Structures are given as structure tokens and as C-alpha cells.
Amino acid sequence: MSAPLIRRNRRSIISLVRLGNKRPVSIAIRASGEAGTLRLLRPRGEMDDRLGHEEDGSVQRNFDEGYVFLCALLNELASPILIMVRVPQLFPKKTAVGSIATIDQLCNALSITEDELREVILLPDILRYSSRPIPKKDGSLRFVHNPHFRLRRIQRRINNRLFSNQSFLSWPDHIFGSIPNQQFDGAIHAKDYVACARVHCESKSILTIDIANFFDNVHISHVLQIFRDLLKFSEIVSEVLADICCHNDALIQGALTSSYIAGLALYDVEGRVVERLARKGLRYTRLVDDINVSSKNSEYNFDYAKKIVEDMLFSKDLPVNTSKTKVQFSSTLPLAVHGLRVGFKEPRLPGEEVSRIRAAVHSIEMMAREPNYRTSHAYRRDFNRCMGRVNKLSRVGHKQHGGLVHRLHQIMPLPSQKDVQRAIKIVEKLEADFSLKRHTYWYAKRFYLAHERLNILKRSFPGITDMLRLRLKPIKARYE
């Protein structure tokens, strides 16, 4: 048998062996960290007696172990094999060619006029945001700020055309939360809290570090650096964008761009920390302001990891919330990341949370038995909240999800005659406002609210619903 040809570098491993006339085996490997996992996709049945496999017919191996494993595999399989490895992305990367050098180019990129941009820049600070308090779990208040509609419109376009556009910006593997899923080699890489927790599955020790008042401590000078040094915009364009995204010289809770910029706040230093930790066999993730570092070793000493993470944060003037810094060991309690148990191959909801979800479904079933209660707005609100909790089970593949959803489908909210009248009035108002307000945020919000109301109305009044939907078709919202 001929020896396999193997080439290994930072971007890929390609191995090719050809012998015999057996069915080809295609193996694609992806690494989720410098010492992450390999995912080998192959036809089911190939070496199933020797290798454990997932439901999709894949095999998982540690990156370095997998390289050795593949070399051995190539020498045993009598069929052509192509092996591709995606090396983990440590830093955010601007994928677009070119730059935005002038205000005119910025306006073209965002599809706005210079007058519209000038109106937003000249808005007084007191008019840029309206504020409202939201209570935290610890009893203190967090103030959430709602941007002026003109400012909101520009921030939304910055998100859509820059931050959430993978053809413009590619996000690193260790960043999760409030950013779009990434696509590599035809595979979707989820970026929500469940995907973040999955990185730490089968850990035995976990370090958690929380950044104190994250948004308030991301200074406008750091935001300016992101636009100028990472995204390669000119100084004047970077200053304008930093001004649009900040308030009182810092990020602000409520600005549409804040969560994206928070993800980029450590763009030039975080990747190196991830790499250093990976050399120690540690896995690192950050979900907005929550940092987790995990080890598969029991009772792991995180002193080194804690120091280099804190040094990284201090270099960006970001303080640590020491009251939330903690270390978990599997020997003392079930390990959890973002509320999910990670001591298994896949994240799981805690048993007590599953019990609470079942109890919530039972409570809704009791409410539904009350005469006419299913037509009330209170029932609609409680039902939607319960359905949202049940759908959490789907994200972790819990076996009870299907049964609970079926029970809820039997007691869905019902419309009343008042709902019919409200829906007709909403559509009439939209028709009257279409010519002047179809590009506004508030018109779009009312338009999609109308469709939501019609979804409920259709259960008892399908004829009226179809008629109102026909009236909505030519007056679709144009807001971006």
C-alpha cells in the first residue's frame, strides 16, 4: 500500500491516499479551537465496528489526537480520502476589499443622504436617547436607552451592512451572543448561548469571569480604533461612526450597534489569549461580558488563566466584577455555563428548569379551561411566554419538547370579535400612512404587528383574515 501524502499548515491539512476500487470516503474536519475537535464526515458503515459515531455518521477527535489518528486511518483504509481542516479563527477579520474613506462614500454605503447624516450628528445628547429603568436580579436598576428614530435607522444599517454581513466581517470562533451565525465550508456555526456552552461540554473545571459594567467602560477611543484600525476606515469616517455608536463617550445599553462593538472590543488582544490558553489545553469563550475558561482536568488550578485574562481586560480599561468571578469543579457541583449543564457530550437544561417548564404548561392548561379566557390578552401573553420556555427544550434536543408543544397546540389563544375590529382599524391606519411613513420604524412595527394579529385571527375567522392580508400586500413596510 502506498504511503499517504500529508501536508499540514495553519490553514489546512490535506491527505490523499488511493488504493483499490472501494467506495470513496470523504472526511471533512473542523477544529473549534487550537486544540479543538475534529469532525470527520464519512459514509455510514465505514469502520462502524471500530469507531463510535454520532447520529449524522461523524466521528469526533481532539485536534492533535485526530491528526495522529488520521495518519493511522489513511494507512488502513483502501479507498481515496480527502481531508480538510478549518483552523480556528482567533481574530475578527475584515473580509471585504476596499475601504470607506469619505463621508460621501459612507452615505452611499448606508443609503442615506448627507443631510440625513448631518441631522443625526447634530442631534443634542438629550434627544438622542430616551431612558427607562429595568430591575436586575440583585434588585438594582439597569437603565435601557431607546435611540431616536433617525439614529436607530442609521445604526440598523451599520449592523446589516457591516457587522452582521460575513462578506464584510468574519467573527472569531470564541465570540458568541448577539452576533450572526457564521458559515464556513457550507456548514453553519451557531453563535447563541447554547453553542457557547457546547464548547465547554465534558469539562471538569470551569473559571467564570464577568466584565463589570461592560458597555459603560468601552470608551469611544476604543470604538474609534475598531473602525479605523480593524475595519480600515479613514479617520473622519471612523470619528463619525464612533459618534453615532456611542453616547457620553462610551457604548450605551440600547444602541443597536452596542452588542456588536462589545464583541469587537478586544479585537487585537483576545485571540492571543485564546491561543495561549489552548496551549495549556484550556477552552475559552466570551458571550458579551461573560468569559468562561474550562479544562477537562479535575480540580484545575486557574491562577495562570485568571491572570492573563484579567491582564487582557485591564489593558483595555475594562474592570472585573470580582463578586461574579467563580471557579466550578465537577467534584463539588454540576458544572453550568449560561444556565446549561455542560458535564455531558451536549449541553442540557438543569432538571429543575425542565420541571418548571412542565409546571408552566400545566398552569396554562388550567387557565385554558376558564370560560372565554383563551380570547383574552392576558392569556395570549402567558401562552407566548410559556411557548418560549418550551422552545428552550428544542435548542438542547430535549426529548420532552415535542410532547409539550403538542399539548400547547391544543389550547392556543383564540380571537374575539374585538380582535376583528382592531385588525381592521390597524390595516386602515396602515393604508392611510403608507405614502408618507412606509420607510419609518414605527410603520414597520405596526405592519408586522398586523400580521401577528392576523395569525391569531385566522383560527376562527379565515375569510376576514385572507381579505385583510390581500389589503396588506401592496402596502408592505420599506424600513431597513
Side-chain angles (χ1 to χ4, degrees):
M1 177 175 179
S2 61
L5 171 66
I6 302 176
R7 178 166 60 87
R8 185 180 187 186
N9 54 40
R10 283 194 59 80
R11 298 309 309 168
S12 66
I13 299 174
I14 300 179
S15 298
L16 183 64
V17 62
R18 182 177 298 278
L19 181 67
N21 298 316
K22 286 192 177 182
R23 180 168 52 116
V25 178
S26 175
I27 303 181
I29 310 166
R30 293 184 181 85
S32 60
E34 190 67 25
T37 59
L38 300 178
R39 197 161 185 81
L40 288 63
L41 304 180
R42 55 173 180 40
R44 185 175 295 281
E46 185 75 25
M47 298 183 71
D48 276 354
D49 293 338
R50 294 206 304 109
L51 301 173
H53 58 78
E54 308 294 330
E55 290 184 359
D56 62 359
S58 68
V59 182
Q60 297 223 1
R61 287 288 185 275
N62 173 277
F63 187 85
D64 292 326
E65 293 173 356
Y67 182 70
V68 176
F69 162 77
L70 284 172
C71 292
L73 178 63
L74 289 172
N75 283 305
E76 293 184 24
L77 283 180
S79 51
I81 299 176
L82 179 64
I83 303 166
M84 299 294 293
V85 175
R86 178 183 170 267
V87 172
Q89 183 175 330
L90 297 175
F91 297 93
K93 179 183 178 182
K94 181 183 176 183
T95 53
V97 178
S99 178
I100 299 178
T102 67
I103 297 300
D104 184 56
Q105 290 176 345
L106 176 62
C107 291
N108 288 336
L110 300 179
S111 299
I112 58 175
T113 65
E114 286 196 31
D115 287 340
E116 289 173 322
L117 180 62
R118 188 178 299 109
E119 285 179 357
V120 169
I121 296 297
L122 295 178
L123 273 176
D125 285 346
I126 196 172
L127 295 181
R128 285 195 172 196
Y129 294 89
S130 58
S131 304
R132 61 186 176 92
I134 294 179
K136 296 182 181 179
K137 290 182 180 179
D138 60 7
S140 60
L141 295 177
R142 172 188 285 121
F143 284 89
V144 175
H145 309 274
N146 187 36
H148 186 279
F149 74 93
R150 296 186 190 277
L151 180 60
R152 173 187 289 272
R153 178 167 168 254
I154 293 179
Q155 288 177 348
R156 182 183 294 273
R157 293 192 180 179
I158 292 172
N159 287 349
N160 291 341
R161 303 188 182 187
L162 305 182
F163 294 137
S164 65
N165 181 3
Q166 197 174 348
S167 63
F168 179 84
L169 179 68
S170 179
W171 290 81
D173 293 2
H174 56 269
I175 298 296
F176 295 85
S178 303
I179 61 174
N181 294 339
Q182 301 291 284
Q183 184 169 344
F184 298 106
D185 303 324
I188 300 296
H189 293 244
K191 286 293 186 178
D192 63 357
Y193 76 103
V194 177
C196 185
R198 185 173 288 114
V199 173
H200 301 284
C201 279
E202 298 187 287
S203 297
K204 294 183 179 179
S205 306
I206 297 176
L207 166 69
T208 299
I209 296 176
D210 182 78
I211 305 172
N213 301 315
F214 190 18
F215 286 5
D216 294 340
N217 282 295
V218 178
H219 192 262
I220 191 172
S221 60
H222 296 308
V223 179
L224 178 65
Q225 282 183 322
I226 290 170
F227 286 114
R228 183 189 61 208
D229 300 338
L230 172 63
L231 303 183
K232 308 301 182 184
F233 296 161
S234 69
E235 187 76 21
I236 182 62
V237 169
S238 299
E239 288 177 356
V240 168
L241 289 171
D243 180 72
I244 288 171
C245 297
C246 294
H247 185 63
N248 293 331
D249 289 342
L251 292 186
I252 181 170
Q253 190 90 25
L256 276 62
T257 49
S258 288
S259 60
Y260 290 96
I261 294 174
L264 297 171
L266 303 167
Y267 77 93
D268 55 340
V269 294
E270 195 168 29
R272 199 60 58 214
V273 168
V274 175
E275 190 173 45
R276 291 173 66 187
L277 293 174
R279 291 177 192 149
K280 302 292 184 181
L282 303 176
R283 295 171 291 183
Y284 173 105
T285 62
R286 177 164 65 88
L287 191 146
V288 190
D289 59 353
D290 291 326
I291 294 172
N292 284 280
V293 181
S294 66
S295 170
K296 290 192 174 183
N297 296 332
S298 300
E299 311 290 330
Y300 188 86
N301 185 337
F302 284 108
D303 289 349
Y304 167 78
K306 183 172 179 288
K307 184 180 188 308
I308 66 171
V309 170
E310 289 182 344
D311 288 347
M312 171 190 70
L313 297 177
F314 296 155
S315 73
K316 293 290 186 177
D317 304 321
L318 297 173
V320 173
N321 186 345
T322 54
S323 66
K324 291 187 177 181
T325 298
K326 63 180 180 180
V327 175
Q328 306 174 66
F329 296 126
S330 59
S331 59
T332 58
L333 75 167
L335 301 186
V337 172
H338 310 310
L340 298 174
R341 297 274 173 82
V342 293
F344 313 94
K345 288 186 177 181
E346 288 291 325
R348 297 183 184 180
L349 281 171
E352 54 270 23
E353 175 64 12
V354 177
S355 297
R356 285 193 289 266
I357 292 173
R358 284 200 306 266
V361 172
H362 179 71
S363 177
I364 290 291
E365 288 174 328
M366 294 297 101
M367 293 179 187
R369 295 178 183 178
E370 298 181 21
N372 300 322
Y373 192 60
R374 287 174 65 184
T375 63
S376 69
H377 281 278
Y379 180 80
R380 198 171 297 169
R381 182 187 63 247
D382 292 339
F383 179 91
N384 290 339
R385 184 182 295 120
C386 183
M387 181 64 84
R389 295 180 67 184
V390 168
N391 284 334
K392 288 170 63 177
L393 298 173
S394 173
R395 290 293 296 113
V396 296
H398 199 283
K399 62 183 180 181
Q400 294 190 33
H401 173 256
L404 293 176
V405 168
H406 177 74
R407 286 166 61 181
L408 288 177
H409 281 170
Q410 309 307 307
I411 52 171
M412 295 181 75
L414 296 175
S416 65
Q417 283 293 340
K418 286 185 178 180
D419 288 310
V420 175
Q421 298 305 317
R422 290 192 188 101
I424 292 173
K425 287 182 179 180
I426 291 174
V427 172
E428 289 175 347
K429 180 65 173 171
L430 288 169
E431 289 172 331
D433 292 341
F434 175 73
S435 59
L436 296 178
K437 300 181 179 180
R438 63 183 180 276
H439 295 289
T440 66
Y441 166 76
W442 295 110
Y443 181 91
K445 187 173 183 178
R446 285 187 289 133
F447 180 84
Y448 293 114
L449 175 63
H451 275 288
E452 181 184 329
R453 292 282 179 87
L454 293 180
N455 288 337
I456 298 174
L457 209 64
K458 190 173 183 178
R459 295 166 195 161
S460 299
F461 304 97
I464 295 175
T465 302
D466 292 342
M467 179 268 292
L468 292 176
R469 286 198 194 279
L470 285 174
R471 291 172 62 178
L472 284 175
K473 275 190 175 181
I475 57 169
K476 186 176 181 180
R478 303 290 192 270
Y479 179 74
E480 181 193 357

